[in-house]
Short mmCIF file of all heavy atoms in Angstrom, two decimals:
data_model
loop_
_atom_site.label_atom_id
_atom_site.label_comp_id
_atom_site.label_asym_id
_atom_site.label_seq_id
_atom_site.Cartn_x
_atom_site.Cartn_y
_atom_site.Cartn_z
N TYR E 1 14.06 26.75 -3.53
CA TYR E 1 13.75 25.72 -4.47
C TYR E 1 14.49 24.46 -4.09
O TYR E 1 13.83 23.31 -4.04
CB TYR E 1 14.24 26.19 -5.89
CG TYR E 1 14.17 25.13 -6.92
CD1 TYR E 1 12.84 24.62 -7.37
CD2 TYR E 1 15.22 24.57 -7.64
CE1 TYR E 1 12.75 23.59 -8.33
CE2 TYR E 1 15.15 23.62 -8.59
CZ TYR E 1 13.90 23.19 -8.91
OH TYR E 1 13.80 22.23 -9.82
N PRO E 2 15.86 24.35 -3.93
CA PRO E 2 16.46 23.05 -3.58
C PRO E 2 16.03 22.47 -2.21
O PRO E 2 15.78 21.26 -2.13
CB PRO E 2 17.83 23.47 -3.50
CG PRO E 2 17.96 24.84 -3.38
CD PRO E 2 16.80 25.45 -4.00
N ILE E 3 15.72 23.35 -1.27
CA ILE E 3 15.19 22.83 0.08
C ILE E 3 13.83 22.21 -0.16
O ILE E 3 13.66 21.20 0.42
CB ILE E 3 15.23 23.92 1.10
CG1 ILE E 3 16.57 24.33 1.52
CG2 ILE E 3 14.45 23.54 2.35
CD1 ILE E 3 16.69 25.63 2.35
N ALA E 4 13.02 22.84 -0.89
CA ALA E 4 11.63 22.38 -1.09
C ALA E 4 11.64 20.97 -1.77
O ALA E 4 10.89 20.06 -1.43
CB ALA E 4 10.76 23.27 -1.96
N VAL E 5 12.43 20.90 -2.78
CA VAL E 5 12.65 19.71 -3.54
C VAL E 5 13.17 18.48 -2.86
O VAL E 5 12.70 17.44 -2.77
CB VAL E 5 13.39 19.97 -4.81
CG1 VAL E 5 13.68 18.53 -5.54
CG2 VAL E 5 12.66 20.79 -5.90
N LEU E 6 14.18 18.82 -1.94
CA LEU E 6 14.82 17.79 -1.20
C LEU E 6 13.84 17.35 -0.07
O LEU E 6 13.87 16.17 0.33
CB LEU E 6 16.16 18.26 -0.58
CG LEU E 6 17.27 18.47 -1.68
CD1 LEU E 6 18.53 19.11 -0.78
CD2 LEU E 6 17.62 17.16 -2.20
N CYS E 7 13.14 18.21 0.48
CA CYS E 7 12.14 17.77 1.48
C CYS E 7 11.17 16.92 0.96
O CYS E 7 10.74 15.84 1.47
CB CYS E 7 11.50 19.03 2.17
SG CYS E 7 12.44 20.05 3.27
N VAL E 8 10.66 17.24 -0.15
CA VAL E 8 9.58 16.40 -0.97
C VAL E 8 10.21 15.00 -1.21
O VAL E 8 9.63 13.94 -1.18
CB VAL E 8 9.12 16.99 -2.25
CG1 VAL E 8 8.21 16.17 -3.06
CG2 VAL E 8 8.33 18.21 -2.05
N ALA E 9 11.57 15.04 -1.60
CA ALA E 9 12.26 13.74 -1.87
C ALA E 9 12.36 12.91 -0.70
O ALA E 9 12.02 11.58 -0.80
CB ALA E 9 13.58 14.02 -2.40
N PHE E 10 12.70 13.45 0.44
CA PHE E 10 12.78 12.64 1.68
C PHE E 10 11.44 12.19 2.13
O PHE E 10 11.33 11.01 2.73
CB PHE E 10 13.59 13.47 2.71
CG PHE E 10 14.94 13.54 2.64
CD1 PHE E 10 15.49 14.84 2.23
CD2 PHE E 10 15.77 12.41 2.68
CE1 PHE E 10 16.92 14.86 2.03
CE2 PHE E 10 17.21 12.55 2.39
CZ PHE E 10 17.81 13.70 2.06
N ILE E 11 10.33 12.99 2.06
CA ILE E 11 9.12 12.56 2.40
C ILE E 11 8.58 11.38 1.54
O ILE E 11 8.05 10.34 2.00
CB ILE E 11 8.04 13.70 2.26
CG1 ILE E 11 8.30 14.78 3.27
CG2 ILE E 11 6.56 13.20 2.38
CD1 ILE E 11 7.58 16.03 3.05
N VAL E 12 8.84 11.53 0.28
CA VAL E 12 8.50 10.33 -0.65
C VAL E 12 9.22 9.12 -0.38
O VAL E 12 8.76 8.06 -0.35
CB VAL E 12 8.67 10.80 -2.17
CG1 VAL E 12 8.53 9.59 -3.12
CG2 VAL E 12 7.83 11.86 -2.56
N THR E 13 10.53 9.27 -0.06
CA THR E 13 11.36 8.20 0.30
C THR E 13 10.91 7.51 1.61
O THR E 13 10.83 6.23 1.77
CB THR E 13 12.88 8.53 0.48
OG1 THR E 13 13.26 9.25 -0.76
CG2 THR E 13 13.65 7.45 0.83
N GLY E 14 10.42 8.34 2.65
CA GLY E 14 9.84 7.81 3.86
C GLY E 14 8.72 6.95 3.60
O GLY E 14 8.44 5.92 4.24
N ILE E 15 7.81 7.56 2.67
CA ILE E 15 6.44 6.84 2.43
C ILE E 15 6.80 5.51 1.83
O ILE E 15 6.22 4.46 2.19
CB ILE E 15 5.62 7.72 1.48
CG1 ILE E 15 5.10 8.88 2.34
CG2 ILE E 15 4.41 6.93 1.16
CD1 ILE E 15 4.35 9.90 1.45
N LEU E 16 7.79 5.44 0.85
CA LEU E 16 8.14 4.14 0.17
C LEU E 16 8.68 3.16 1.25
O LEU E 16 8.38 2.00 1.11
CB LEU E 16 9.05 4.40 -0.98
CG LEU E 16 8.68 5.29 -2.16
CD1 LEU E 16 9.73 5.59 -3.08
CD2 LEU E 16 7.65 4.44 -2.89
N LEU E 17 9.54 3.70 2.17
CA LEU E 17 10.12 2.75 3.01
C LEU E 17 9.09 2.26 4.09
O LEU E 17 9.20 1.00 4.40
CB LEU E 17 11.22 3.45 3.77
CG LEU E 17 12.55 3.75 3.01
CD1 LEU E 17 13.50 4.66 3.86
CD2 LEU E 17 13.24 2.49 2.69
N VAL E 18 8.11 2.98 4.46
CA VAL E 18 7.21 2.65 5.45
C VAL E 18 5.97 1.82 4.84
O VAL E 18 5.52 0.78 5.51
CB VAL E 18 6.59 3.84 6.15
CG1 VAL E 18 5.49 3.46 7.17
CG2 VAL E 18 7.78 4.45 7.01
N LYS E 19 5.57 2.20 3.68
CA LYS E 19 4.36 1.59 3.06
C LYS E 19 4.53 0.58 1.98
O LYS E 19 3.90 -0.31 1.85
CB LYS E 19 3.39 2.66 2.58
CG LYS E 19 2.91 3.65 3.68
CD LYS E 19 2.00 2.88 4.69
CE LYS E 19 1.55 3.77 5.85
NZ LYS E 19 0.61 3.10 6.73
N VAL E 20 5.50 0.88 1.03
CA VAL E 20 5.65 0.13 -0.24
C VAL E 20 6.67 -0.92 -0.06
O VAL E 20 6.37 -2.18 -0.46
CB VAL E 20 6.18 1.10 -1.40
CG1 VAL E 20 6.29 0.16 -2.70
CG2 VAL E 20 5.15 2.16 -1.59
N VAL E 21 7.77 -0.73 0.49
CA VAL E 21 8.89 -1.78 0.65
C VAL E 21 8.28 -3.04 1.63
O VAL E 21 8.59 -4.12 1.11
CB VAL E 21 10.11 -1.21 1.31
CG1 VAL E 21 11.10 -2.20 1.72
CG2 VAL E 21 10.72 -0.17 0.49
N PRO E 22 7.52 -2.76 2.55
CA PRO E 22 7.04 -4.03 3.41
C PRO E 22 6.17 -4.95 2.44
O PRO E 22 6.25 -6.13 2.61
CB PRO E 22 6.12 -3.35 4.47
CG PRO E 22 6.84 -2.04 4.68
CD PRO E 22 7.25 -1.56 3.35
N VAL E 23 5.49 -4.36 1.45
CA VAL E 23 4.70 -5.25 0.59
C VAL E 23 5.69 -6.20 -0.25
O VAL E 23 5.39 -7.39 -0.34
CB VAL E 23 3.81 -4.38 -0.45
CG1 VAL E 23 3.11 -5.30 -1.39
CG2 VAL E 23 2.87 -3.52 0.31
N PHE E 24 6.78 -5.57 -0.78
CA PHE E 24 7.80 -6.34 -1.33
C PHE E 24 8.41 -7.38 -0.48
O PHE E 24 8.74 -8.48 -0.92
CB PHE E 24 8.82 -5.50 -2.11
CG PHE E 24 8.34 -4.73 -3.29
CD1 PHE E 24 7.76 -3.56 -3.30
CD2 PHE E 24 8.55 -5.37 -4.51
CE1 PHE E 24 7.44 -3.02 -4.42
CE2 PHE E 24 8.14 -4.80 -5.73
CZ PHE E 24 7.53 -3.61 -5.66
N ALA E 25 8.64 -6.93 0.79
CA ALA E 25 9.18 -7.86 1.67
C ALA E 25 8.43 -9.14 2.02
O ALA E 25 8.97 -10.19 2.08
CB ALA E 25 9.45 -7.10 3.06
N ASN E 26 7.10 -8.91 2.01
CA ASN E 26 6.20 -10.11 2.27
C ASN E 26 6.30 -11.06 0.99
O ASN E 26 6.27 -12.27 1.15
CB ASN E 26 4.82 -9.62 2.44
CG ASN E 26 4.63 -8.89 3.70
OD1 ASN E 26 5.32 -9.14 4.73
ND2 ASN E 26 3.62 -7.91 3.87
N THR E 27 6.48 -10.45 -0.13
CA THR E 27 6.54 -11.22 -1.37
C THR E 27 7.82 -11.98 -1.43
O THR E 27 7.85 -13.23 -1.70
CB THR E 27 6.42 -10.44 -2.63
OG1 THR E 27 5.30 -9.60 -2.54
CG2 THR E 27 6.29 -11.15 -3.90
N PHE E 28 8.85 -11.42 -0.99
CA PHE E 28 10.28 -11.98 -1.09
C PHE E 28 10.48 -13.19 0.00
O PHE E 28 11.07 -14.12 -0.21
CB PHE E 28 11.33 -10.98 -0.70
CG PHE E 28 11.43 -9.82 -1.74
CD1 PHE E 28 12.00 -8.50 -1.40
CD2 PHE E 28 10.91 -10.09 -3.09
CE1 PHE E 28 12.01 -7.61 -2.40
CE2 PHE E 28 11.10 -9.14 -4.06
CZ PHE E 28 11.68 -7.93 -3.64
N SER E 29 9.58 -13.06 1.08
CA SER E 29 9.64 -14.03 2.14
C SER E 29 9.12 -15.43 1.63
O SER E 29 9.54 -16.48 2.22
CB SER E 29 8.84 -13.71 3.34
OG SER E 29 7.45 -13.49 2.98
N SER E 30 8.28 -15.46 0.46
CA SER E 30 7.75 -16.68 0.00
C SER E 30 8.75 -17.33 -0.97
O SER E 30 8.59 -18.45 -1.47
CB SER E 30 6.34 -16.48 -0.52
OG SER E 30 6.49 -15.43 -1.67
N PHE E 31 9.79 -16.56 -1.43
CA PHE E 31 10.68 -17.04 -2.45
C PHE E 31 11.58 -18.13 -1.91
O PHE E 31 11.79 -19.12 -2.51
CB PHE E 31 11.49 -15.98 -2.97
CG PHE E 31 10.73 -15.02 -3.94
CD1 PHE E 31 11.47 -13.83 -4.39
CD2 PHE E 31 9.38 -15.20 -4.27
CE1 PHE E 31 10.76 -12.89 -5.18
CE2 PHE E 31 8.82 -14.28 -5.03
CZ PHE E 31 9.46 -13.21 -5.60
N GLY E 32 12.02 -17.91 -0.58
CA GLY E 32 12.94 -18.89 0.01
C GLY E 32 14.36 -18.88 -0.67
O GLY E 32 15.08 -19.87 -0.43
N ALA E 33 14.65 -17.74 -1.23
CA ALA E 33 15.99 -17.72 -1.93
C ALA E 33 16.71 -16.58 -1.24
O ALA E 33 16.23 -15.74 -0.57
CB ALA E 33 15.88 -17.47 -3.46
N ASN E 34 18.14 -16.66 -1.46
CA ASN E 34 18.91 -15.54 -0.88
C ASN E 34 18.66 -14.27 -1.67
O ASN E 34 18.78 -14.27 -2.81
CB ASN E 34 20.47 -15.90 -0.92
CG ASN E 34 20.76 -17.08 0.09
OD1 ASN E 34 20.07 -17.30 0.99
ND2 ASN E 34 21.60 -17.97 -0.40
N LEU E 35 18.56 -13.18 -0.98
CA LEU E 35 18.34 -11.88 -1.40
C LEU E 35 19.61 -11.12 -1.66
O LEU E 35 20.66 -11.34 -0.97
CB LEU E 35 17.34 -11.06 -0.65
CG LEU E 35 15.93 -11.70 -0.36
CD1 LEU E 35 15.18 -10.81 0.59
CD2 LEU E 35 15.14 -11.74 -1.63
N PRO E 36 19.68 -10.31 -2.73
CA PRO E 36 20.87 -9.47 -2.96
C PRO E 36 21.17 -8.52 -1.71
O PRO E 36 20.26 -8.18 -0.96
CB PRO E 36 20.51 -8.56 -4.14
CG PRO E 36 19.50 -9.31 -4.88
CD PRO E 36 18.66 -9.93 -3.80
N ALA E 37 22.45 -8.25 -1.58
CA ALA E 37 22.92 -7.35 -0.43
C ALA E 37 22.19 -5.90 -0.54
O ALA E 37 21.80 -5.56 0.63
CB ALA E 37 24.42 -7.25 -0.45
N PHE E 38 22.09 -5.46 -1.49
CA PHE E 38 21.44 -4.06 -1.69
C PHE E 38 20.03 -4.09 -1.22
O PHE E 38 19.51 -3.28 -0.53
CB PHE E 38 21.40 -3.59 -3.24
CG PHE E 38 21.01 -2.17 -3.30
CD1 PHE E 38 21.20 -1.33 -2.27
CD2 PHE E 38 20.38 -1.74 -4.37
CE1 PHE E 38 20.81 0.03 -2.48
CE2 PHE E 38 20.04 -0.45 -4.60
CZ PHE E 38 20.22 0.40 -3.67
N THR E 39 19.26 -5.36 -1.64
CA THR E 39 17.92 -5.43 -1.29
C THR E 39 17.73 -5.64 0.32
O THR E 39 16.87 -5.06 0.93
CB THR E 39 17.26 -6.72 -1.96
OG1 THR E 39 17.31 -6.48 -3.35
CG2 THR E 39 15.82 -6.92 -1.70
N LEU E 40 18.65 -6.40 0.86
CA LEU E 40 18.65 -6.69 2.30
C LEU E 40 18.97 -5.34 3.02
O LEU E 40 18.23 -5.07 4.08
CB LEU E 40 19.74 -7.64 2.59
CG LEU E 40 19.50 -9.10 2.23
CD1 LEU E 40 20.70 -10.00 2.56
CD2 LEU E 40 18.19 -9.69 3.05
N PHE E 41 19.85 -4.44 2.52
CA PHE E 41 19.98 -3.20 3.05
C PHE E 41 18.76 -2.40 3.16
O PHE E 41 18.44 -1.80 4.12
CB PHE E 41 21.20 -2.49 2.35
CG PHE E 41 21.31 -1.11 2.71
CD1 PHE E 41 21.98 -0.78 3.88
CD2 PHE E 41 20.97 -0.11 1.90
CE1 PHE E 41 22.09 0.55 4.30
CE2 PHE E 41 21.08 1.26 2.35
CZ PHE E 41 21.58 1.51 3.51
N VAL E 42 18.13 -2.34 1.98
CA VAL E 42 16.87 -1.56 1.90
C VAL E 42 15.79 -2.19 2.89
O VAL E 42 15.00 -1.32 3.52
CB VAL E 42 16.38 -1.42 0.48
CG1 VAL E 42 14.98 -0.81 0.40
CG2 VAL E 42 17.22 -0.62 -0.35
#
């Protein structure tokens, strides 16, 4: 049970990092403002 849930969690996280976060990155590039450290890390 825990192994299956954690595997799903990492897969979902990977999809978010590869597909979803770049969309936000393109939006942030038009702001021209300094981004928070946590956002820059992600």
Side-chain angles (χ1 to χ4, degrees):
Y1 175 67
I3 290 172
V5 173
L6 290 176
C7 286
V8 171
F10 283 114
I11 291 170
V12 171
T13 304
I15 293 171
L16 290 174
L17 288 173
V18 175
K19 298 294 184 181
V20 179
V21 174
V23 177
F24 282 92
N26 293 332
T27 305
F28 297 153
S29 63
S30 63
F31 287 176
N34 293 328
L35 298 175
F38 188 33
T39 304
L40 289 173
F41 170 74
V42 172

